[in-house]
Each structure stands twice: as C-alpha cells, then as structure tokens.
Amino acid sequence: MKKYITIMIVALTYTFALCNACMAKDTVKPKTVSKVDSVAMLIQRADSGNAVAQNLLGYWYYVGKNVKKDYQKAANWWAKAAKQENAHGVGNLAMCYQLGHGIKADSVMAMKLYLKAIELGNKDIIPKHERAIAKDRGNLFSTRLLYHCYERGIGVKADPKKAEKLYEVLAEKGDADRQFNLALDYINKQQYEKAIPWLKRAMQKGHVGATFYMGKLTFQGTGVAQDKKQGIAWMEKAAETQFPGACLELGKIYLKGDGVEANAPKGAEYLKQTAGVSSEAGWLLGLCYLKGEGVAQDYHFAAQWIAEYVGSHKKEFNQLFEDGNKDEAFSQYLWGLKHYYIYKDYDKAVESFSKVSKAKHQEGTMMTALCLAQKEYRKHHAKKAFKLMEKAAKAVPAAQYHLAMMYGKGEGVKRDQQKSLELLQKAADGGVAEAQCALGDKYMAGDIVARDYVKAAKLYLAAESQRQLSEKAAKGLAECYKKHVLALPDLDNANARVEKLNKHKSNSRLADLLKIMEK
C-alpha cells in the first residue's frame, strides 16, 4: 500500500509547487503567512471553486500536512477537483477508490478514473504504474491499467504487441476476465483443447461466463470428455445469475429431455429468463405458448413473442402455416388481429375471432369483446363487450387486463376502481406487460394505492424484460433510477439508464408480424 501512496504523492509535487506560488502572488510573502492563515486561505480558495486549491487541500488532508490527517476529507476535496476535470484531482480520487481510502474501495471506478485522468493530461500515472509492475509482477491492477492504455492508445502510442504481453500476464497471474477472454479466443479459433484449461482457471474464480462455456463444452463433449450430467450442472450454476446463454441452452435441453428427463415447465421457465435479450429464446418461448408446451396455451403471449422476433425467423414463421404444421385457430387469430389493428374492419375481425372462440380458445372471445367495445363499430355494444370480456378473463390473463380497464372507466359496467385494481394486479401477476406498466404507473403516482417506488420499479422491470415497456412506464422507471431505488439493478450506471429510458419509444412488433401474414 505504501508504494501507491508514494507514487501519487510524488506525482503531485509539481502541482503543489505551482499552487503555492500562485497563492503567494495573490496574498503576501510566504514567510509572513502563519500555518493557520495558510490553511484558512487554502480552504477559502478551495471553497470558492479553485480546482488546484481543492486538489492541494485534498493532499494536505491525505498526508496530514498543516491539518489532521483525514482520508474522507481528502477524498471529498479530490472529488470536487475531479468534478471540474482537474487531471491530478481525478487521478488522486482514483487512488482513493483503488485503496479504499476515505471511500469504499471500487477497482472498477478506480480504473475508470485513472483512464480519465490520463486522457485529461495527467502524465505521471503511466510511468508510475510501469515502475509498480517492475517492482511487483503480480500487480494485476497496474497491469490491467497499462493494458487498456497500450491497447487503446490512451496516454501512449497504441502498441498491440505490448498490450498482448500485458494481456497474457493478466491471464497467467489470475485475472479471471482475461482468462475467460483468452479461452473465448481459442473457442472462436476452434482450438477447444487450449480453451479448456483457461476456462477451468476462470471458473475456479467464480467467473459465470467461464462456468457456462465449460458446462456447454462438457455437455457437447467438445475439447473434453462428454459428460451431459456434469455439463448441465455447470450450466445451471451459471443460470443462477440469469446468464443468457445458460438459460437458453437449459431451456432447450429441458424441453427436449436431452441428457436429462424432459421437463417442459422448467424449460419454458429458463426461456422466460432470457427471452427479452435472446432472439432464439424469445422465438422458442412463443412456440411454447402456441403449443401449450410447459406453459398454458395462450395465443396472446404466442403472438407477442413470435411478433417480437419474427424478423429473424421468417422462414420458421412461414413453416407454421404449411400443411401438417398449421394451427387453424391461431391462423384465424392472426387474421382477426390484422383486420382489427390494420384495416379497422371489425366485421371481418369478429368473423375470424368467432372461429377462434369456437375452437375453444378464449382469446377469440377477448378480441370479439374489444371489437364490440369500439364506439366507431356499427355493432358497438358496451354491455355485451363487458360480458364477453368477463367470460374470457376466467382463462386469459390479457382479458383480465382489458376487464380491469372496463371497470376503471365504467364501460359496460358500473365504475369500480377497487375491482379494477384487483384485476390489474391479477393480470400483472399473470405476466401481462400492459398490466405491469399500468399498475407500475399507479404505484408511481399513488393512484388508489399508496405510493411505492420499489413496487413500481419491479413492475416496470418485468415489462421491460418482455420488451413491452410503454413510454409512460419508461419515464417512470427513469424516475426510479433518479431516486436510486434499491430494487433496481445497475444503479452504478443510473445516469446512462435514465438517458436511455427518457428516449424510449414504444415499438410493438405486432404490425411487422401482420404484414408478413399478408405476404
């Protein structure tokens, strides 16, 4: 630890001399300034926003010069200097994060700040970390920092060969990320036998990605003796953190019963965990809802997931309507949606949806009710629409959401906000994204329910995981990130999340699905 302190103190010497000289010009001769006056003047200049003074004051508190040593005050003053992009202030704050002095240790933040300080012109950092490595080849932090610098050309001329050597040192010395990346390089080159040792080393350090790949290769018998049981065990370990690749592979394995007893509900559950980020998982989940495999058959959810990823599965989509594969009721359901949403031809929509209802799929009843609820429909009948929706809601979660809206607005039934809330909760629990967004909005606003940002955040995240976040819900979720609600993931990246969420536009893929139907 002493070596890091020495490194940073030496790096500051030139800046401190300049600061003292600058202060002397504005006040009196150095010899006539007492210790107390010197501290008071420096604090005054630092309080006024002088970044150089803030940096120097941070140093005084750090080493105990003229003031009582206080790491926390040192970190606070360096943070103020860093906020003004003072190169040395940023570098010193990085040191605090690296060593855990005056602030909670955070190597990721320390790395980020060191790189920023170098980009701002702090020329002392690179040579001092190079000397640190020369004294201690096991210094992984300094090695990692210099790797980034030489690999990207930050503060030095980019040097791929030097970066590669540093990369190999990181892997050899036990950096799990580098071991994993080195293994991936070998996997991409199909040199699996060389990848296995690096995967094992990274896996021993708890690297999730390495655990998954080791499991997958072991399951397949690629580069290592095949052992499906052990492979599944390792992939399940990785899936505990919802690692996308692991969830996808396990979903397929349990649906097929490959190397394990078939368990469709378990397979579908794994697919749900990664459907929002994996095209293949989302498509397969849509097929599960279409066929009722591992989940209750539900045309609403089937259309939602199939529509979301139809762009990358057009061939498979067309195969759904070939002889031998065709689900006539689902086909009629999609044609009904096309007439309802695209053509606004409610007569033809009802004709298609009636066929779906006759095939004992209550999604047809739900959509018939929505047609009758449209005021512009010549056969508009609010009470009949309500009765049909009430019937559909016994079996279809999406119908529970629409029924909640009817109770909330008093359409076809006496307005009942409490009943609306109960149905909205039931639909949200059933996985209906529209209900999750609407209920989240209520918790954000304290509408009928007590305001609860944690519940709102969880509901919004559930809808986002289905790629069905409404624009209003996105703004609500952004507000939760601004408030740093503890239920949220990725709070360290809250500002970036807020910026992205505020730009979010609802983008239902259902229209794309219906256009393909026309072709």
Side-chain angles (χ1 to χ4, degrees):
M1 188 173 291
K2 285 184 178 180
K3 65 186 175 185
Y4 289 111
I5 298 173
T6 302
I7 287 169
M8 296 313 299
I9 291 173
V10 172
L12 290 168
T13 302
Y14 181 64
T15 302
F16 299 153
L18 284 178
C19 183
N20 284 327
C22 179
M23 289 179 66
K25 290 179 182 178
D26 296 341
T27 55
V28 295
K29 293 180 180 180
K31 290 182 180 179
T32 64
V33 179
S34 69
K35 175 181 175 180
V36 174
D37 290 337
S38 178
V39 173
M41 286 189 296
L42 186 60
I43 291 176
Q44 184 179 15
R45 290 178 67 83
D47 279 333
S48 70
N50 186 295
V52 177
Q54 290 168 344
N55 184 52
L56 177 56
L57 190 55
Y59 165 70
W60 280 10
Y61 276 113
Y62 194 86
V63 300
K65 179 180 179 180
N66 299 329
V67 292
K68 184 179 179 180
K69 181 186 287 189
D70 190 322
Y71 286 150
Q72 186 172 353
K73 287 184 179 179
N76 289 340
W77 282 112
W78 280 335
K80 290 181 179 181
K83 192 173 183 179
Q84 299 189 65
E85 299 199 334
N86 177 279
H88 287 285
V90 175
N92 291 327
L93 184 60
M95 178 187 66
C96 289
Y97 273 109
Q98 182 188 356
L99 302 177
H101 285 177
I103 198 166
K104 185 179 179 181
D106 186 334
S107 60
V108 174
M109 181 59 73
M111 185 67 64
K112 181 179 179 180
L113 289 172
Y114 272 133
L115 292 172
K116 181 178 180 180
I118 294 168
E119 289 177 333
L120 289 172
N122 191 327
K123 298 179 180 180
D124 299 309
I125 294 174
I126 291 176
K128 295 190 184 304
H129 279 276
E130 285 182 329
R131 286 197 288 273
I133 290 175
K135 291 180 180 179
D136 178 10
R137 293 288 292 175
N139 188 325
L140 291 179
F141 184 90
S142 294
T143 305
R144 192 179 298 114
L145 174 62
L146 293 177
Y147 162 74
H148 287 306
C149 291
Y150 282 105
E151 195 264 339
R152 304 181 205 170
I154 300 175
V156 292
K157 184 178 179 180
D159 189 332
K161 289 185 178 181
K162 193 164 186 176
E164 186 177 354
K165 288 181 180 179
L166 290 166
Y167 188 94
E168 290 175 354
V169 170
L170 287 169
E172 284 289 349
K173 294 297 182 181
D175 185 298
D177 286 333
R178 298 300 175 265
Q179 291 169 342
F180 174 61
N181 289 334
L182 200 55
L184 282 185
D185 287 342
Y186 284 124
I187 290 173
N188 291 332
K189 295 174 183 176
Q190 296 186 344
Q191 296 176 348
Y192 302 108
E193 290 80 5
K194 291 183 179 180
I196 297 298
W198 291 113
L199 287 176
K200 286 182 177 178
R201 291 174 68 171
M203 187 172 68
Q204 287 171 358
K205 292 182 171 17
H207 195 287
V208 178
T211 304
F212 160 63
Y213 274 97
M214 191 65 203
K216 183 177 181 180
L217 294 179
T218 301
F219 180 84
Q220 296 172 338
T222 305
V224 66
Q226 187 176 39
D227 186 335
K228 289 189 175 184
K229 185 177 181 180
Q230 182 61 68
I232 290 172
W234 278 331
M235 283 192 280
E236 288 185 328
K237 180 71 175 176
E240 290 176 4
T241 62
Q242 294 191 340
F243 189 81
C247 292
L248 171 60
E249 291 301 321
L250 289 168
K252 293 191 291 185
I253 286 169
Y254 278 105
L255 284 175
K256 294 178 182 178
D258 186 3
V260 68
E261 185 177 350
N263 187 330
K266 193 171 184 177
E269 191 59 38
Y270 273 122
L271 293 178
K272 285 181 183 180
Q273 292 180 41
T274 191
V277 295
S278 167
S279 171
E280 186 176 2
W283 175 261
L284 291 174
L285 182 59
L287 296 184
C288 285
Y289 278 114
L290 176 59
K291 301 171 185 177
E293 187 176 6
V295 292
Q297 190 176 36
D298 190 309
Y299 284 170
H300 169 81
F301 287 130
Q304 173 187 313
W305 285 111
I306 289 174
E308 191 63 40
Y309 294 114
V310 71
S312 54
H313 292 83
K314 290 182 181 179
K315 182 178 179 180
E316 295 94 324
F317 178 74
N318 290 330
Q319 289 174 347
L320 291 177
F321 302 96
E322 294 177 355
D323 291 339
N325 297 322
K326 190 173 183 179
D327 182 325
E328 185 62 39
F330 185 61
S331 178
Q332 288 295 335
Y333 180 71
L334 293 181
W335 279 113
L337 292 180
K338 187 174 183 67
H339 289 301
Y340 179 84
Y341 287 110
I342 306 297
Y343 299 137
K344 306 294 182 184
D345 187 335
Y346 301 118
D347 279 324
K348 287 190 176 180
V350 168
E351 184 181 336
S352 289
F353 292 138
S354 295
K355 293 178 181 178
V356 178
S357 298
K358 287 179 181 178
K360 298 182 179 180
H361 292 283
Q362 291 302 314
E363 296 89 343
T365 306
M366 173 185 75
M367 291 307 302
T368 299
L370 285 181
C371 289
L372 294 174
Q374 299 302 313
K375 292 182 180 179
E376 61 268 31
Y377 183 28
R378 63 185 183 84
K379 294 181 180 179
H380 168 67
H381 198 306
K383 289 186 178 180
K384 187 174 181 180
F386 171 78
K387 289 294 183 183
L388 287 174
M389 194 65 75
E390 195 173 37
K391 179 182 178 181
K394 294 177 182 179
V396 182
Q400 294 164 0
Y401 163 70
H402 292 299
L403 192 63
M405 296 297 100
M406 288 179 170
Y407 270 111
K409 297 175 183 177
E411 294 180 350
V413 67
K414 184 179 179 181
R415 191 178 186 191
D416 187 333
Q417 295 287 26
Q418 190 57 43
K419 183 67 175 178
S420 175
L421 181 64
E422 290 173 6
L423 284 164
L424 202 57
Q425 182 67 64
K426 193 172 182 180
D429 291 341
V432 181
E434 296 95 325
Q436 292 165 346
C437 290
L439 189 57
D441 293 339
K442 287 187 177 296
Y443 278 113
M444 279 297 292
D447 178 13
I448 305 177
V449 295
R451 181 173 283 145
D452 192 323
Y453 296 121
V454 172
K455 287 184 178 180
K458 288 181 178 179
L459 286 161
Y460 290 149
L461 289 173
E464 187 182 41
S465 71
Q466 298 186 63
R467 303 167 71 94
Q468 299 292 315
L469 195 64
S470 71
E471 291 179 25
K472 183 178 180 182
K475 293 189 183 302
L477 184 55
E479 191 62 29
C480 289
Y481 269 100
K482 288 180 184 177
K483 295 180 181 298
H484 279 249
V485 175
L486 295 179
L488 293 170
D490 200 19
L491 278 176
D492 290 339
N493 199 31
N495 290 338
R497 284 284 278 147
V498 168
E499 185 177 357
K500 185 176 181 179
L501 286 165
N502 282 333
K503 294 178 181 178
H504 174 77
K505 298 294 181 183
S506 296
N507 187 20
S508 173
R509 301 293 181 184
L510 186 58
D512 296 334
L513 175 70
L514 300 178
K515 287 177 183 177
I516 292 175
M517 278 290 294
E518 185 173 24
K519 294 178 181 179

